[in-house]
Amino acid sequence: LAHEMKTPLANLRIWMEAGPQGRPAMERAIVDMDRVIERCVHAGQLSDHNLKPRHEWLDAAELTQNVLAASRQPSRVQLSMPTDVCAVHTDAQMLSIVLSNLLENAYKYSIGGTPISLSLTPYADTRGAPGWRWVVDNTVGEAGMPDARKVFDKYYRGANARRQSGSGLGLFLVKSLLELMQGTVTCLPM
């Protein structure tokens, strides 16, 4: 985690010397540090059992579009979802974190510039209860496919993924937050 904070700080120091041209890179470094800190806070709250979902009715399609628009590379994403309201009773902030982490992971570990597919479809669980399914699909990059049995473990980083920035908390938070909201997540090999 200390390494994850030092990298954006080093970038800030370098780009500060570039003057106004360095501003976008400095803003990105600040966002990256903020995300690392946010993930650490959420992981701590999960460990302390202090994180509880606040359920409300919301439009899953609208939330998905908002998360995508705020993501790092929205132009890479091919979005597929219903045009009607997709009502869901869940925690908006937790679901936003889940979708954001999944997208950021896809951006980071796919082949640069390749399209990423994000779909939202109706879904019924094993009891027949209605809900929604999000699928993020990307072409695996040079880090290769992670171990599907470990990918949601706290601090897990695939052997070839260590060259990429990351704390190993993003997908751990995805799984943990979804479990709090009574959802599930899976990683399917290509």
Side-chain angles (χ1 to χ4, degrees), residues 35 38-39 42 56 58-60 62-68 70-71 90-104 134 174 177-178 181:
R35 285 195 173 135
E38 202 172 270
R39 287 179 178 149
H42 289 128
E56 61 184 294
L58 57 98
D59 181 358
E62 181 181 355
L63 183 134
T64 301
Q65 289 173 326
N66 291 339
V67 168
L68 176 58
S71 72
T90 192
D91 186 296
Q93 183 181 15
M94 286 185 184
L95 184 54
S96 294
I97 292 167
V98 165
L99 293 174
S100 176
N101 285 355
L102 289 172
L103 282 172
E104 291 301 318
W134 285 263
V174 165
L177 292 174
L178 283 171
M181 296 184 290

Side-chain angles (χ1 to χ4, degrees), residues 69-165:
S71 72
R72 190 179 296 237
Q73 300 172 26
S75 62
R76 286 183 62 190
V77 177
Q78 298 171 341
L79 182 60
S80 170
M81 62 184 181
T83 55
D84 298 337
V85 171
C86 304
V88 63
H89 194 248
T90 192
D91 186 296
Q93 183 181 15
M94 286 185 184
L95 184 54
S96 294
I97 292 167
V98 165
L99 293 174
S100 176
N101 285 355
L102 289 172
L103 282 172
E104 291 301 318
N105 209 64
Y107 295 146
K108 191 184 302 184
Y109 294 109
S110 64
I111 295 173
T114 58
I116 294 167
S117 169
L118 171 60
S119 64
L120 171 63
T121 56
Y123 174 76
D125 69 12
T126 55
R127 300 177 312 254
W132 295 96
R133 172 182 285 164
W134 285 263
V135 176
V136 178
D137 190 14
N138 61 283
T139 305
V140 177
E142 66 182 59
M145 209 42 207
D147 183 336
R149 296 166 300 176
K150 296 180 182 179
V151 73
F152 299 107
D153 291 353
K154 192 173 188 178
Y155 303 123
Y156 171 76
R157 305 282 317 274
N160 294 329
R162 296 200 172 121
R163 285 179 251 153
Q164 291 278 0
S165 65

